[in-house]
Amino acid sequence: MKRREESDVLAFLKDMVDMKMTGARILLECLKREGVDIIFGYPGGAVLDIYHDLNRDKDLRHILVRHEQGAAHAADGYARASGKVGVCLVTSGPGATNIVTGLATAYADSIPVVAITGQVHTHLIGNDAFQEVDIVGITRPCTKHNFLVKDLKRLALTIREAFHLARSGRPGPVLIDFPKDLMTQSTEFVWPEEVRMRSYNPTYRPNLNQLRRAAELMAVSERPLLLVGGGVISSNASQELRSLAHDFSIPVTSTLMGLGAFPGTDPLFLGMLGMHGTYVANKAVNKADLIIAAGARFDDRVTGKLETFAPKAKIIHIDIDPTSIRKNVEVDVPVVGDCALSLQGLHEVLQARDKETPHDWAAAHAAWLEQLKEWNDAQPLSYCRSGDCLKPQQVVEAVQRITEGKAVYTTEVGQNQMWAAQFLNISEPRTFITSGGLGTMGYGLPAAIGVQFALPDRLVIDIAGDGSIQMNIQELMTAVCNRLPIKILILNNSYLGMVRQWQELFYEHNYSFTCLDDGQPDFVKLAEAYGAEGYRINTAEELERILPQALASPAPAIIDVRVAREENVYPMVPAGAALDEMLLV
């Protein structure tokens, strides 16, 4: 009997021990419970304990990048394409500082990312220990929130809160700084089923009275315009947007971040507005009597000169972030709420209003739509097709034609980005992945890696410039090692093209340090050195013959397309000018 009692006690003690986990193990368990199945990272001394357990975990896939910035951008691309939270894991010190640009990129575009950084032992924090930086202080301005783990018992709750903050309300990046000594200590693992944060309660459901006020303005408008941004995509509101536009005959324009929220081939779509927006979209903003903005923040590249923005229009602004409303532009009807719920609610209010007082929306807006068609016919997106050199716009059009618009695109930043935005017809949300708010060169390739993991059955193309692609070219090795069939299409003009364009137009053609003739690698040989395929295209004949072959290859590839060296992006609104003061030639 005594032996049995001893056995029971030993079993009980064993169960108690088994219930305890190390901090590293708790982290991985929490990630799985948050639905994470892939982590982009780079190991280092301060995270060795996490990597020790991670290598044995069959439920979590780790993707080894070649630079920590690549990990942050890959997590960002994964989040944009999948709608889930992207996760990256790096060590302390330089590993942590290397992800700051990626976090700032995600923050500017409201992308849900959770970054986990190792930190030195708790007792060494503040002592200038080896590879110690105050990453919490450094990233405070470019994260939605960040945490320094101080109590292992609160680790699970901290991770739960981090994911809740990243994906809810206006999404954004969150950082968890995790000291090394807490990774090896053990405590009982308790999973918090609910997350309640007293100081954080986003408003999802819009105020009905504000929707009614918005409907009243829409009912008397003759020249309405829907202006949509990335928030429509983040809230999965594309269907609600389409229904509202079609049922009430309202034309649509998009910010760079909103491309794909509304089909690019739809007759009601006017294209992108802003600095490099279409002529018809910018004219529409200038002449509209009502703008319904959804999930857009009216940044300077969209508004042009603020004093002249939409001078004839009343403005309805729908956004889940109340601090974005009236931040840049005065608003007549603010609507705080989730874009999907707000657009659906507005649709229902308008339908109810129509039952009481029937309104012929198509007739009311017919003259406006005809005017927009005239503007578009007078100044469509175009370029000079003469000359022997390939034009970059011609290359983008060929990609659109060959892929039949079914590819998913990332971009680098610069002229390549703007030509892609102008000449691709993006018809699905989450298929045009680009750095909008921060304009981060080097974003496209690592983001494409994240996108390819999120959408393994889709063709992923990074439209790049020869300058921007070299910022994170090392991530080609990540693509090769993981056999990702990503295609890097370089519009190679041997310049830092967008900077050169500004130098041409506003700095007396003084091409100061923007010519890359003296330092241009052979991109075909570079691709082969990494174990990828390399293609070069110089002529229109080669474009039609080689490009389909390259895009159809199952291997990662660089496609180096030599294009006209001093081609510019038009239309262009000069800095400080009004939207209708476009340069068209």
Side-chain angles (χ1 to χ4, degrees), residues 264-395:
T265 54
D266 194 293
L268 287 173
F269 188 58
L270 308 181
M272 183 177 69
L273 82 158
M275 180 171 281
H276 294 292
T278 64
Y279 178 83
V280 63
N282 287 346
K283 287 286 286 185
V285 170
N286 197 53
K287 299 298 183 182
D289 63 8
L290 178 67
I291 290 177
I292 307 112
R297 57 188 177 86
F298 293 111
D299 72 280
D300 57 294
R301 289 294 172 105
V302 164
T303 63
K305 186 178 180 181
L306 271 175
E307 294 80 4
T308 61
F309 178 74
K312 303 176 186 300
K314 301 281 188 181
I315 297 179
I316 301 164
H317 192 178
I318 300 168
D319 205 292
I320 198 165
D321 180 9
T323 66
S324 290
I325 297 177
R326 294 196 175 103
K327 186 175 184 178
N328 296 323
V329 171
E330 190 55 43
V331 172
D332 296 279
V333 181
V335 179
V336 178
D338 172 75
C339 278
L341 293 175
S342 299
L343 292 173
Q344 181 183 9
L346 184 57
H347 192 284
E348 291 170 355
V349 169
L350 288 167
Q351 283 182 321
R353 201 177 192 283
D354 276 357
K355 287 182 180 179
E356 295 180 8
T357 309
H359 187 70
D360 190 339
W361 297 92
H365 302 158
W368 174 232
L369 294 175
E370 182 59 32
Q371 174 66 82
L372 295 173
K373 184 178 183 303
E374 289 178 12
W375 283 332
N376 188 54
D377 290 344
Q379 290 287 347
L381 283 173
S382 62
Y383 57 94
C384 179
R385 299 172 187 267
S386 62
D388 296 330
C389 292
L390 279 171
K391 296 299 176 69
Q393 304 94 322
Q394 176 184 358
V395 178

Side-chain angles (χ1 to χ4, degrees), residues 128-436:
D128 296 329
F130 176 67
Q131 291 194 332
E132 180 199 356
V133 295
D134 177 14
I135 196 63
V136 168
I138 290 170
T139 60
R140 190 168 286 121
C142 61
T143 54
K144 188 175 177 181
H145 194 67
N146 55 26
F147 298 88
L148 171 61
V149 180
K150 298 179 180 178
D151 182 354
L152 188 59
K153 292 180 180 178
R154 289 185 54 84
L155 176 59
L157 179 61
T158 297
I159 296 167
R160 197 87 165 90
E161 290 177 342
F163 275 82
H164 175 64
L165 286 166
R167 65 165 65 101
S168 63
R170 178 180 178 177
V174 178
L175 181 137
I176 302 171
D177 198 27
F178 195 178
K180 183 173 173 60
D181 54 313
L182 296 184
M183 297 176 192
T184 58
Q185 294 176 18
S186 297
T187 191
E188 183 181 357
F189 173 60
V190 179
W191 174 251
E193 294 297 338
E194 288 187 68
V195 180
R196 292 183 180 179
M197 304 177 74
R198 280 192 306 174
S199 61
Y200 178 73
N201 292 290
T203 299
Y204 285 90
R205 295 204 165 275
N207 183 288
L208 183 58
N209 287 332
Q210 295 300 92
L211 294 180
R212 287 171 176 158
R213 288 181 59 200
E216 289 173 6
L217 289 182
M218 292 175 70
V220 297
S221 168
E222 295 179 352
R223 302 184 305 280
L225 179 65
L226 275 160
L227 190 166
V228 301
V232 172
I233 295 174
S234 295
S235 62
N236 299 313
S238 295
Q239 188 54 56
E240 288 80 3
L241 170 65
R242 296 179 194 188
S243 296
L244 188 70
H246 289 150
D247 290 352
F248 302 102
S249 297
I250 307 174
V252 180
T253 185
S254 166
T255 68
L256 177 67
M257 292 303 303
L259 290 172
F262 196 78
T265 54
D266 194 293
L268 287 173
F269 188 58
L270 308 181
M272 183 177 69
L273 82 158
M275 180 171 281
H276 294 292
T278 64
Y279 178 83
V280 63
N282 287 346
K283 287 286 286 185
V285 170
N286 197 53
K287 299 298 183 182
D289 63 8
L290 178 67
I291 290 177
I292 307 112
R297 57 188 177 86
F298 293 111
D299 72 280
D300 57 294
R301 289 294 172 105
V302 164
T303 63
K305 186 178 180 181
L306 271 175
E307 294 80 4
T308 61
F309 178 74
K312 303 176 186 300
K314 301 281 188 181
I315 297 179
I316 301 164
H317 192 178
I318 300 168
D319 205 292
I320 198 165
D321 180 9
T323 66
S324 290
I325 297 177
R326 294 196 175 103
K327 186 175 184 178
N328 296 323
V329 171
E330 190 55 43
V331 172
D332 296 279
V333 181
V335 179
V336 178
D338 172 75
C339 278
L341 293 175
S342 299
L343 292 173
Q344 181 183 9
L346 184 57
H347 192 284
E348 291 170 355
V349 169
L350 288 167
Q351 283 182 321
R353 201 177 192 283
D354 276 357
K355 287 182 180 179
E356 295 180 8
T357 309
H359 187 70
D360 190 339
W361 297 92
H365 302 158
W368 174 232
L369 294 175
E370 182 59 32
Q371 174 66 82
L372 295 173
K373 184 178 183 303
E374 289 178 12
W375 283 332
N376 188 54
D377 290 344
Q379 290 287 347
L381 283 173
S382 62
Y383 57 94
C384 179
R385 299 172 187 267
S386 62
D388 296 330
C389 292
L390 279 171
K391 296 299 176 69
Q393 304 94 322
Q394 176 184 358
V395 178
V396 175
E397 287 179 331
V399 171
Q400 171 79 30
R401 184 182 71 255
I402 292 166
T403 63
E404 298 178 341
K406 295 177 182 177
V408 181
Y409 303 95
T410 66
T411 80
E412 302 295 334
V413 166
Q415 288 181 317
N416 61 88
Q417 178 187 35
M418 293 298 105
W419 284 316
Q422 290 178 336
F423 288 91
L424 292 172
N425 285 321
I426 309 299
S427 294
E428 296 177 65
R430 304 190 184 280
T431 59
F432 187 76
I433 314 294
T434 192
S435 170

Side-chain angles (χ1 to χ4, degrees), residues 21-51:
M21 291 185 183
T22 64
R25 190 66 246 165
I26 289 172
L27 170 67
L28 299 182
E29 183 63 30
C30 289
L31 292 181
K32 289 187 286 188
R33 296 198 183 199
E34 288 290 352
V36 175
D37 54 12
I38 190 166
I39 300 169
F40 303 92
Y42 201 94
V47 287
L48 282 179
D49 297 289
I50 297 174
Y51 273 88

